Amino acid sequence: MATTTSAAVTEPPGLETQRKEIESLLQEHELRAGDTWYLVERRWYEQWKEYVETGDQNSSSFPGQIDNTELFEELDSYHLKERLVENEDFVLIPAEAWHKLLAWYGMVEVQPALERKVVDLPSLVKVEVYPVEIFLCLHSNMENVVTAQFSRADHIHTIQKVMMKQFDVVEGAETRLWMKSSDTSCERLRNVHVRVLDSCLSSGMTVIMEMRNADGTWPSSRPQIMRNSVEEQDSYRGQPGVCGLTNLGNTCFMNSALQCLSNTPPLTEYFLRNAYLEELNFTNPLGMKGEIAEAYADVIKQMWSGRHYSVVPRIFKTKVGHFASQFLGYQQHDSQELLSFLLDGLHEDLNRVKNKEYIELRDAAGRPDQEVAEEAWRNHRRRNDSAIVDTFHGLFKSTLVCPECRKVSVTFDPFCYLSVPLPVSKDRVMEVFFVSLDPVAKPVQHRLVVPKAGKVFDLCSVLSEMTKIPANQMVVADVFNHRFYKLYHADESLSCILDRDDIFVYELNRGSVEEEGDEVVLALYLRERSHYRDYGSGSSSYGTSLFGHPLLMTVPRGQCSRDALYHLFLQRLARYVRPPDPSEEEDEEEGEDDDDDDEEEELYKTQTNGVSYDDGEDDCERPEPSKRDHCCDGVGQGPAVTQTQPDQTQESGGEAQADEGASSEVRAGCSTEDSASASCSASASCSAGASGGAGASGGASVDASATGPTDSQQGAGHQQQQPCEDEEEERGECLPCLPQANERQAKRKGCEARRRKLLFSIQAVNSNGTTERGMGEDGSAFSFSSQPYVAMDWDPDMKKKYYNENEAEKYVKHQSMEVPHQQTTVQLQECIELFTTVETLEEENPWYCPMCKKHQLATKKLDLWSLPEVLIIHLKRFSYTKYSREKLDIIVDFPLRHLDFSGCLLRKTGTNGEPPSRYDLIAVSNHYGGLRDGHYTSYARNKDNGQWYYFDDSKVTYAREEQIVTNAAYLLFYHRQDKIRQPTLPAPLDSSSPTQPANDVTSPKHDGMEGATPCVNMETD
């Protein structure tokens, strides 16, 4: 509070002592809720610090009296300026430090001390610089208004005391307080022991005090007399109840539930005729002191006044969050959970039983069901008697049977709504992209129906029926961000795959899926090199970035030379990579100078295939045939193409020549560094690759949206052999490798020219597509014991010239994608039958058998005994099990009229005058979306004119009956036919009438927060 201080100035201690004392207090004191701190103008405080640091009491920097003039907007009212910033305009010091400074230096006369409380806000403790400023007045004299400031940490009782003192109210007089916002609404401040923060009291509001009359009544016994004299504008007089609710931020779940309850006739009429006022229970320890009931009544009265397009249920939302912390904030919630809380809260707030007695429950013990049921209902009404029980509560019979001693326990329990299960489908629909072996075939998108609890092999089996490819020749992968996020094993559960994952299934050669064999599965990434070397990383390599879609392909273990891999990869990309023609090669050879040769040579020494060659020039000149023969040495180690060391040549030469897939005739003139060599070894490698299956490219390209049709392996092999022949024709005939020096020199230049025509280089990488230190260096190769990954590194210019991105992204749709997915439809009666089906209790919830004296997994059966006037059916769309969580989008076909429970109701109608068991639909709460997000709306039938409306937050439109049954239906409200009152008003004009907006009740000019009259804050009492 701002209080005037006139403390006497005492002799201050030494300057050093002052500095140490204040600094010590500032360091020791932490912010604790309820503590008092003070604001001091920053310039005065900085001058004081400068003064004490000089150590000279006669210094010119003496600060003088504490002066906060710069913090006030005007010196008459001493109101703080707006938007003051801590440590720029003022500093905060604890109370003890303030009193010391005040005693040493005093304060400018008349100025109030800026005392502030520390408040504990949700998730934050802070000094309240700007307290709540409210207006105070008496109900008997509302023109005499006094302004006062209170901390949010103060209790309402503090305001009450200040008002009694300010207005000279006799001590001991019985008073109560109301808070009134800037509009026409008021609300009781019932609990005077809550903080200002928790009471929704904010700056600019008015607190009105009223005193009990001599006859024991209250002046404001009816809420209407608390309104301002200024009448609300009557420009909008719509159909009562046809009113939207503003979304306060993820509150559509609340709006949907409120609209359904608002259109429940018996409950709404109960509140509209103010019958609830006589039944508010303020002493029920299980209730909310009547606050939930009053807040709900405010919403209903405003919605049914016919004067608002939309109502803002802010106070109701605050009340709900106050009594149910799970609804605090603005997170999305379940409308059924809110409805359950609201009905229970309304029941306890309106419970006519003030003191609940203890009732000992008796077992049926073989007594007739009728007797036991009547006793259970009577006992329930002895403790629970309210309009909610009258309207929504029914009774069901629960039968438990012990599996060991066959003890039967029968109880009758009340219910407020029926939560019925939905038949859970055992299948799920998945969309995958199939990549065939044929390199020119586009990926094909398939829609599969697979077992929900199945394995990855089940997915492959279903796809195998469509593609005629054996399931054991398929590999399933999750592709994300141009790389393989995961490669699935055949025995992994399909529950690991989410609907939003991009799943690709690759066809591989027979037997290549096994870890051991003549072929290895390579994961191939596409990377683009930057134009500049990355010297900052400590190396001179080029930076790379992934693009396109990764490939899975099989390569014979004998075909892992750099030449062989290059040609195999080029064949695999034949659909969208154009090989260079001879004319381009000749032009490029003529135009390049020696500097370019040196740079390219250096690049491929350090980076090509992830292998570093130390003696590239010498290798090119050595006429050793065995060097070429053993370029596949280390094939069992990994896909990185390795150069055999000279001392390994003799040792492994025979093995390489014996390999059927390796080159048998090699010209000696070109070393392994000559990646683009068109030597006979390249031709042999291509031919061997085709015959060994690797020529079929092992896998197909993975587009962002695709997988391709499957051709015969013979056709694929033919497609793969042909590029090799074309390659030879383009590159020309290989030069003979003679031992003469001049011929060797000419051959070396020819090799370099051909090397420049590489479209990409090959690099060993990890699963993320990045190169780790040591990968493929010094001729080493990594082990095939783990999944090998390699990358094709493209020069940007080469990629732009030869790589067709548009073609690479193309895919085709299988005919299964054209067939619309038929949603499962079940009848509501089927769900009700499931509700009454015998089930065995789960291990987490056993039943204690009084005969066996131990917990048993008994069988349980529920039966409907009696039904309420308004029956709420909750469709359990959200399924939670140990293994999965999902939302069931099954269409439940529910009747709009004549829902008959006579077949499943144990208490039959007849001579005893029991009401009929037929129901008509009056409201539906809808949920659109999935588990983690979604949107709630509602359909409801107006009780006065019988018209159906669609409520989507603040927007309201007409609805037709054929629109109501959807797969979004979540809560169903049924009204028993014998209690339905016929509409008193005619149905609204047809939407085609020129007097009505286009089938839209909400005025397009005043949608949401704006109406013909301003939207009303929910603060009406």
Side-chain angles (χ1 to χ4, degrees):
M1 294 338 102
T3 57
T4 303
T5 305
S6 58
V9 178
T10 61
E11 183 66 26
L15 298 183
E16 183 64 21
T17 304
Q18 291 183 38
R19 185 183 65 80
K20 289 182 178 179
E21 287 186 11
I22 298 301
E23 286 182 356
S24 176
L25 290 172
L26 289 174
Q27 293 174 0
E28 294 174 0
H29 281 70
E30 296 181 354
L31 294 180
R32 290 189 300 269
D35 285 358
T36 300
W37 286 58
Y38 288 82
L39 276 68
V40 177
E41 202 274 323
R42 188 185 68 86
R43 282 192 293 182
W44 185 92
Y45 184 74
E46 293 294 334
Q47 190 170 353
W48 170 82
K49 285 176 62 178
E50 182 182 346
Y51 172 64
V52 296
E53 287 172 358
T54 61
D56 182 9
Q57 297 199 8
N58 297 322
S59 172
S60 60
S61 59
F62 178 71
Q65 291 180 314
I66 299 175
D67 187 359
N68 289 331
T69 302
E70 294 298 323
L71 300 181
F72 297 115
E73 191 170 349
E74 53 183 24
L75 296 180
D76 294 335
S77 61
Y78 290 107
H79 280 176
L80 280 184
K81 292 180 179 177
E82 296 293 335
R83 300 183 184 87
L84 294 177
V85 180
E86 184 180 358
N87 296 328
E88 290 186 13
D89 302 304
F90 65 88
V91 294
L92 291 168
I93 61 176
E96 190 175 351
W98 163 260
H99 291 306
K100 287 182 178 293
L101 290 176
L102 185 64
W104 297 337
Y105 296 94
M107 192 171 184
V108 174
E109 292 184 5
V110 186
Q111 272 194 17
L114 297 177
E115 175 186 344
R116 296 293 184 264
K117 292 287 185 66
V118 178
V119 294
D120 186 5
L121 301 175
S123 72
L124 180 64
V125 178
K126 61 178 291 187
V127 176
E128 183 184 40
V129 177
Y130 292 97
V132 177
E133 186 176 85
I134 58 178
F135 306 104
L136 311 176
C137 68
L138 291 177
H139 177 262
S140 57
N141 184 11
M142 297 182 65
E143 294 183 357
N144 182 21
V145 179
V146 176
T147 304
Q149 289 184 340
F150 296 93
S151 169
R152 291 171 178 80
D154 288 338
H155 290 79
I156 302 299
H157 186 60
T158 304
I159 300 178
Q160 191 176 36
K161 284 184 175 181
V162 170
M163 293 185 69
M164 294 182 70
K165 182 178 180 181
Q166 178 70 38
F167 298 112
D168 298 326
V169 178
V170 178
E171 188 175 353
E174 189 175 356
T175 63
R176 66 179 186 179
L177 304 179
W178 299 80
M179 66 176 180
K180 175 177 172 297
S181 63
S182 57
D183 61 7
T184 61
S185 57
C186 288
E187 184 184 2
R188 273 276 309 282
L189 289 171
R190 296 178 168 277
N191 191 351
V192 297
H193 300 292
V194 300
R195 300 180 302 171
V196 171
L197 175 66
D198 301 323
S199 67
C200 306
L201 195 60
S202 58
S203 294
M205 299 179 69
T206 302
V207 175
I208 305 170
M209 174 180 283
E210 61 172 343
M211 294 162 284
R212 187 183 291 274
N213 296 326
D215 62 357
T217 61
W218 292 97
S220 60
S221 57
R222 300 191 67 80
Q224 285 79 359
I225 67 173
M226 292 294 294
R227 298 187 179 276
N228 279 348
S229 58
V230 179
E231 293 294 330
E232 289 188 7
Q233 299 178 9
D234 294 336
S235 57
Y236 177 70
R237 280 291 183 178
Q239 173 64 42
V242 182
C243 177
L245 291 170
T246 300
N247 192 322
L248 305 175
N250 282 330
T251 57
C252 56
F253 72 97
M254 180 182 75
N255 295 344
S256 177
L258 284 176
Q259 291 288 6
C260 291
L261 283 180
S262 169
N263 286 278
T264 302
L267 184 64
T268 295
E269 291 169 359
Y270 170 80
F271 279 94
L272 290 180
R273 66 174 184 264
N274 291 330
Y276 76 99
L277 291 176
E278 303 299 326
E279 297 181 350
L280 286 172
N281 190 335
F282 300 111
T283 60
N284 186 357
L286 299 179
M288 290 80 173
K289 305 297 184 288
E291 293 188 41
I292 287 294
E294 290 188 329
Y296 177 77
D298 290 342
V299 178
I300 294 302
K301 288 182 178 180
Q302 293 181 53
M303 293 176 65
W304 286 85
S305 68
R307 304 172 75 174
H308 308 290
Y309 286 108
S310 177
V311 168
V312 185
R314 182 172 289 110
I315 295 299
F316 177 81
K317 165 72 171 61
T318 303
K319 295 295 183 186
V320 169
H322 178 72
F323 291 106
S325 59
Q326 67 267 31
F327 297 113
L328 277 173
Y330 297 94
Q331 301 298 318
Q332 182 65 276
H333 294 282
D334 191 325
S335 65
Q336 187 270 334
E337 293 179 2
L338 176 81
L339 180 69
S340 176
F341 162 78
L342 182 55
L343 289 177
D344 184 64
L346 289 174
H347 160 65
E348 296 297 352
D349 272 0
L350 301 170
N351 199 343
R352 304 175 186 113
V353 179
K354 306 302 179 184
N355 298 306
K356 296 188 178 184
E357 57 180 313
Y358 173 75
I359 299 175
E360 185 174 353
L361 300 178
R362 296 171 55 197
D363 191 73
R367 293 181 292 160
D369 285 352
Q370 183 74 23
E371 177 184 343
V372 179
E374 289 178 355
E375 179 184 83
W377 185 250
R378 189 167 53 250
N379 289 339
H380 178 63
R381 294 302 294 257
R382 286 165 64 184
R383 292 173 55 87
N384 304 279
D385 184 15
S386 69
I388 303 300
V389 176
D390 299 340
T391 307
F392 296 100
H393 282 207
L395 203 65
F396 61 73
K397 176 186 175 182
S398 175
T399 305
L400 290 168
V401 180
C402 177
E404 189 171 318
C405 69
R406 313 308 297 177
K407 160 72 177 174
V408 178
S409 173
V410 176
T411 59
F412 287 83
D413 303 304
F415 67 87
C416 191
Y417 50 85
L418 292 181
S419 289
V420 298
L422 272 62
V424 179
S425 173
K426 296 182 180 180
D427 296 326
R428 65 180 287 195
V429 176
M430 297 182 66
E431 294 182 2
V432 302
F433 298 94
F434 178 69
V435 184
S436 74
L437 284 174
D438 186 355
V440 298
K442 297 182 180 68
V444 182
Q445 186 181 20
H446 291 261
R447 178 176 289 158
L448 312 176
V449 178
V450 297
K452 189 174 293 184
K455 304 292 185 181
V456 171
F457 183 78
D458 296 321
L459 183 152
C460 296
S461 299
V462 175
L463 186 60
S464 174
E465 296 178 3
M466 291 186 177
T467 61
K468 308 306 180 185
I469 301 298
N472 60 2
Q473 292 181 224
M474 298 180 181
V475 172
V476 180
D478 182 359
V479 175
F480 174 73
N481 202 18
H482 312 294
R483 62 185 178 85
F484 290 117
Y485 186 78
K486 184 175 182 179
L487 297 175
Y488 291 97
H489 296 287
D491 58 349
E492 287 193 71
S493 174
L494 287 177
S495 61
C496 300
I497 302 177
L498 304 180
D499 290 336
R500 63 173 180 266
D501 292 341
D502 291 325
I503 301 302
F504 294 83
V505 182
Y506 296 86
E507 178 191 359
L508 300 181
N509 292 325
R510 183 181 304 276
S512 62
V513 178
E514 290 78 12
E515 292 186 3
E516 299 298 332
D518 295 335
E519 295 176 323
V520 61
V521 180
L522 286 184
L524 179 61
Y525 293 155
L526 303 176
R527 300 194 306 183
E528 181 177 0
R529 287 197 302 266
S530 64
H531 284 282
Y532 307 101
R533 296 180 186 268
D534 183 12
Y535 295 100
S537 61
S539 66
S540 59
S541 62
Y542 285 84
T544 58
S545 60
L546 292 169
F547 73 93
H549 302 282
L551 310 173
L552 270 184
M553 59 183 297
T554 50
V555 176
R557 294 183 183 272
Q559 295 289 319
C560 293
S561 70
R562 183 183 45 205
D563 282 346
L565 287 180
Y566 178 85
H567 287 290
L568 289 178
F569 293 169
L570 195 62
Q571 294 170 34
R572 186 61 197 90
L573 304 180
R575 181 168 63 88
Y576 44 89
V577 173
R578 180 179 64 85
D581 56 50
S583 61
E584 291 176 319
E585 183 179 79
E586 293 172 3
D587 294 342
E588 186 168 333
E589 289 177 11
E590 294 174 0
E592 291 180 349
D593 54 21
D594 294 339
D595 294 339
D596 293 336
D597 292 346
D598 296 339
E599 183 177 349
E600 289 292 332
E601 184 173 355
E602 179 65 24
L603 167 64
Y604 286 99
K605 278 185 179 181
T606 59
Q607 196 165 340
T608 300
N609 299 327
V611 184
S612 176
Y613 304 105
D614 296 331
D615 300 317
E617 295 185 6
D618 295 339
D619 290 343
C620 198
E621 296 172 1
R622 288 172 186 160
E624 298 176 353
S626 61
K627 284 288 275 189
R628 192 63 177 185
D629 291 342
H630 308 308
C631 61
C632 296
D633 193 45
V635 145
Q637 301 299 317
V641 183
T642 58
Q643 164 86 28
T644 55
Q645 301 298 325
D647 57 350
Q648 297 174 326
T649 303
Q650 300 299 328
E651 183 179 354
S652 57
E655 179 182 349
Q657 291 179 359
D659 192 334
E660 184 179 341
S663 303
S664 57
E665 295 180 12
V666 182
R667 299 182 183 272
C670 297
S671 72
T672 53
E673 186 181 343
D674 179 11
S675 303
S677 174
S679 65
C680 298
S681 69
S683 176
S685 297
C686 293
S687 301
S691 61
S697 300
S701 74
V702 183
D703 295 343
S705 46
T707 335
T710 310
D711 293 344
S712 65
Q713 291 187 2
Q714 290 82 357
H718 176 73
Q719 290 287 347
Q720 290 151 358
Q721 291 179 7
Q722 187 63 38
C724 287
E725 299 169 3
D726 295 343
E727 198 75 32
E728 278 195 34
E729 292 175 4
E730 291 177 5
R731 298 178 182 275
E733 192 175 10
C734 285
L735 296 176
C737 299
L738 303 177
Q740 285 79 4
N742 56 345
E743 293 181 356
R744 288 201 305 268
Q745 183 68 16
K747 177 60 183 174
R748 177 173 176 271
K749 291 183 179 180
C751 291
E752 291 175 355
R754 295 187 184 95
R755 181 177 67 240
R756 287 196 297 271
K757 285 303 298 176
L758 271 182
L759 301 185
F760 52 82
S761 60
I762 303 174
Q763 172 71 45
V765 295
N766 57 22
S767 60
N768 291 325
T770 57
T771 306
E772 297 178 353
R773 183 178 295 277
M775 272 193 170
E777 294 180 358
D778 300 327
S780 64
F782 60 88
S783 173
F784 275 161
S785 60
S786 62
Q787 175 66 50
Y789 295 84
V790 295
M792 301 165 54
D793 288 348
W794 287 77
D795 179 79
D797 296 330
M798 289 291 190
K799 175 175 174 287
K800 183 177 180 181
K801 189 173 183 180
Y802 297 105
Y803 184 90
N804 188 339
E805 294 191 40
N806 291 333
E807 180 65 28
E809 296 294 326
K810 289 182 179 179
Y811 70 101
V812 295
K813 289 189 176 183
H814 187 262
Q815 59 184 7
S816 60
M817 296 296 298
E818 299 176 0
V819 179
H821 176 52
Q822 298 294 332
Q823 286 191 314
T824 307
T825 301
V826 300
Q827 299 297 318
L828 179 60
Q829 288 289 0
E830 296 180 46
C831 302
I832 296 173
E833 290 173 5
L834 278 177
F835 176 78
T836 58
T837 302
V838 178
E839 62 177 359
T840 303
L841 297 179
E842 297 179 351
E843 295 182 1
E844 295 81 5
N845 186 31
W847 170 66
Y848 183 78
C849 177
M851 299 293 291
C852 301
K853 305 297 182 183
K854 62 180 180 180
H855 289 89
Q856 298 280 12
L857 299 181
T859 59
K860 180 179 181 179
K861 186 178 190 303
L862 295 177
D863 292 291
L864 300 175
W865 178 260
S866 64
L867 298 177
E869 176 181 348
V870 176
L871 176 63
I872 303 175
I873 300 179
H874 167 222
L875 304 178
K876 298 172 70 174
R877 291 196 177 276
F878 299 101
S879 173
Y880 300 96
T881 66
K882 295 179 181 179
Y883 312 102
S884 65
R885 310 174 75 186
E886 62 177 334
K887 183 196 172 187
L888 306 176
D889 286 325
I890 301 172
I891 296 179
V892 178
D893 188 6
F894 49 89
L896 274 62
R897 296 179 183 85
H898 311 302
L899 175 61
D900 191 359
F901 283 92
S902 58
C904 54
L905 195 61
L906 294 185
R907 186 179 182 181
K908 303 298 183 182
T909 60
T911 57
N912 56 3
E914 183 66 20
S917 55
R918 289 179 179 269
Y919 287 80
D920 287 351
L921 187 72
I922 57 173
V924 180
S925 175
N926 303 306
H927 177 267
Y928 301 92
L931 281 175
R932 297 177 179 84
D933 53 14
H935 182 59
Y936 286 92
T937 64
S938 56
Y939 290 104
R941 179 179 180 269
N942 187 274
K943 67 181 182 66
D944 291 337
N945 63 14
Q947 171 68 39
W948 280 93
Y949 295 93
Y950 180 65
F951 298 90
D952 186 357
D953 290 331
S954 59
K955 186 177 183 180
V956 186
T957 56
Y958 291 115
R960 300 187 304 274
E961 291 187 354
E962 56 268 24
Q963 296 175 322
I964 297 172
V965 179
T966 68
N967 65 341
Y970 185 46
L971 298 174
L972 310 178
F973 287 68
Y974 279 95
H975 198 182
R976 204 168 61 204
Q977 287 182 345
D978 67 306
K979 293 291 186 179
I980 295 178
R981 179 175 56 84
Q982 294 302 316
T984 58
L985 299 175
L989 296 176
D990 187 78
S991 59
S992 60
S993 171
T995 61
Q996 293 287 330
N999 203 27
D1000 193 341
V1001 177
T1002 304
S1003 169
K1005 181 179 179 181
H1006 304 289
D1007 187 30
M1009 292 293 293
E1010 297 180 358
T1013 59
C1015 291
V1016 180
N1017 288 326
M1018 298 310 306
E1019 299 167 348
T1020 309
D1021 179 75

